[in-house]
Amino acid sequence: MDRNLQLANEAFKAQKWAQAAQLYEQEYQSAPSEKINHLLVKSLFEEHQYKMAYTIMMDNLNSYLMDEQHVILMVEVLLANRQLLMSHVLTATLPRVPAQVTRLIQQAEANARQEPNFKKDYQTFYQLSALTFNQQQRAFEKGKELPLDEWVTATKVLLIDPFVKPIIRVSLLEMVQKLKLPEHFEFRWLDNKNYEIVGNQLKSLAEFEKVGILENVLREMIDDHDPVTQQLYQNELGLQVTLLYPFIDRAIPDPRAWVTRLIKGDQVQSATLPAAYSLEWWQRKLSQIMSEMTGA
């Protein structure tokens, strides 16, 4: 063991957290590992350097889900950074949530409700649809600091509000999926109709086989384009499938026809309106939503 690491371990055992953090940080820069990550994060947390502890922890987040001791540390760091919803998302992936973690989250949520700005922050999130697109994005992020009950209450309203931007509605629904909530939600999709879904029955975007097929078809069809153009098409397709969540399969029955249309665009745009739910109808609708987003 090198001298620096030995000194770091000694400082850690003596609870000299500032010294331990400094020495572990040097070690982490030169030879990063899961173990050093954990020791550095613990030292930073005890030294009340919460933002730095969070940043380092996020380098290797999955390693904190392997045992109870590190799950507790992970949740402590998340809560110190007001990441209330994130603590629920991550503990939802565990087969069993340690009792201490449940207590920590409940206490943090009780504290959040006592803060002077709590009602204002909750109201801003709840009434997010009155804001501009950029403000809605900020309110969505800020909403992750709310206790779960309040977040769910507001989200049930926002998911069917026509004035919430489609990408924000999808982002909220993706959070519902990650939280594995067993509750029923109504969701206003891009066809302006409401659909009932159950939180823990939703698939994540990555679990859709159709998304992988679309990406493969796109790679095959744009192989001869320059890298910048390839990236533009990939970004556009990625945003399209995100906006179509969770009914991607319904909107895109034929991946090859979809990608062909994406690349060739409206080269021959007919004057007549396309039939509802046709490929052209979807692509025009998505194009309109995406141009509104970039113009925000």
Side-chain angles (χ1 to χ4, degrees):
M1 186 190 297
D2 69 56
R3 181 74 181 136
N4 189 65
L5 187 53
Q6 193 177 345
L7 289 169
N9 290 341
E10 285 169 9
F12 187 91
K13 281 174 190 158
Q15 298 190 1
K16 295 177 179 173
W17 302 118
Q19 190 184 343
Q22 189 180 6
L23 292 164
Y24 281 133
E25 192 161 4
Q26 290 168 14
E27 195 68 25
Y28 192 64
Q29 296 298 332
S30 59
S33 70
E34 277 183 16
K35 187 164 179 58
I36 300 298
N37 180 295
H38 297 164
L39 292 165
L40 174 54
V41 167
K42 174 68 173 170
S43 304
L44 288 166
F45 175 76
E46 295 294 350
E47 188 54 20
H48 308 294
Q49 293 192 44
Y50 300 135
K51 281 188 177 170
M52 181 64 81
Y54 176 78
T55 303
I56 302 289
M57 183 177 80
M58 295 307 284
D59 286 349
N60 212 324
L61 188 60
N62 286 342
S63 69
Y64 285 80
L65 297 165
M66 299 307 165
D67 62 70
E68 187 167 316
Q69 177 193 351
H70 289 103
V71 167
I72 292 167
L73 175 59
M74 174 190 77
V75 170
E76 285 176 331
V77 172
L78 288 171
L79 297 176
N81 285 278
R82 308 172 68 91
Q83 296 286 331
L84 286 176
L85 210 62
M86 180 88 151
S87 63
H88 284 288
V89 165
L90 287 162
T91 52
T93 67
L94 300 171
R96 191 187 69 80
V97 180
Q100 189 178 340
V101 164
T102 304
R103 284 196 299 274
L104 283 168
I105 294 173
Q106 286 172 345
Q107 187 58 56
E109 292 192 329
N111 293 346
R113 292 186 182 103
Q114 299 305 315
E115 289 186 9
N117 287 335
F118 172 71
K119 282 186 176 166
K120 181 171 166 284
D121 290 343
Y122 180 33
Q123 191 173 23
T124 302
F125 180 63
Y126 197 103
Q127 297 174 343
L128 172 154
S129 64
L131 306 171
T132 66
F133 175 53
N134 289 333
Q135 290 170 333
Q136 285 192 17
Q137 283 184 304
R138 285 197 289 276
F140 166 77
E141 289 301 329
K142 185 78 176 155
K144 293 177 185 176
E145 297 178 8
L146 290 171
L148 182 62
D149 286 352
E150 283 82 349
W151 187 88
V152 168
T153 300
T155 293
K156 284 186 170 177
V157 174
L158 296 171
L159 285 174
I160 53 171
D161 188 329
F163 297 103
V164 174
K165 301 297 181 186
I167 192 69
I168 303 292
R169 285 204 302 265
V170 165
S171 300
L172 287 164
L173 196 63
E174 285 187 302
M175 291 303 297
V176 167
Q177 184 274 321
K178 287 175 185 169
L179 287 160
K180 305 190 190 309
L181 299 170
E183 298 172 56
H184 289 249
F185 291 79
E186 270 194 273
F187 176 67
R188 184 184 175 92
W189 196 38
L190 296 187
D191 60 356
N192 299 327
K193 292 180 181 172
N194 289 1
Y195 296 86
E196 189 173 285
I197 50 96
V198 181
N200 60 6
Q201 289 176 13
L202 285 167
K203 287 195 294 187
S204 72
L205 200 56
E207 290 174 291
F208 279 85
E209 192 184 348
K210 188 71 60 76
V211 173
I213 294 168
L214 284 158
E215 287 168 353
N216 289 337
V217 170
L218 180 65
R219 265 195 298 274
E220 176 196 315
M221 291 178 77
I222 61 172
D223 203 28
D224 57 344
H225 287 72
D226 63 275
V228 175
T229 307
Q230 284 184 19
Q231 193 60 53
L232 286 171
Y233 282 132
Q234 282 165 2
N235 292 350
E236 188 172 354
L237 180 65
L239 187 50
Q240 284 184 338
V241 294
T242 301
L243 285 164
L244 289 168
Y245 181 82
F247 305 123
I248 297 159
D249 293 331
R250 196 178 302 183
I252 310 178
D254 183 344
R256 190 162 289 277
W258 184 275
V259 173
T260 302
R261 175 95 195 175
L262 170 71
I263 294 170
K264 296 191 174 165
D266 278 353
Q267 287 177 342
V268 189
Q269 188 164 322
S270 56
T272 55
L273 285 172
Y277 300 103
S278 67
L279 190 154
E280 188 183 345
W281 184 84
W282 273 122
Q283 292 262 11
R284 283 197 195 179
K285 182 174 270 292
L286 288 165
S287 180
Q288 183 188 351
I289 291 168
M290 285 151 72
S291 64
E292 284 171 7
M293 283 166 65
T294 50

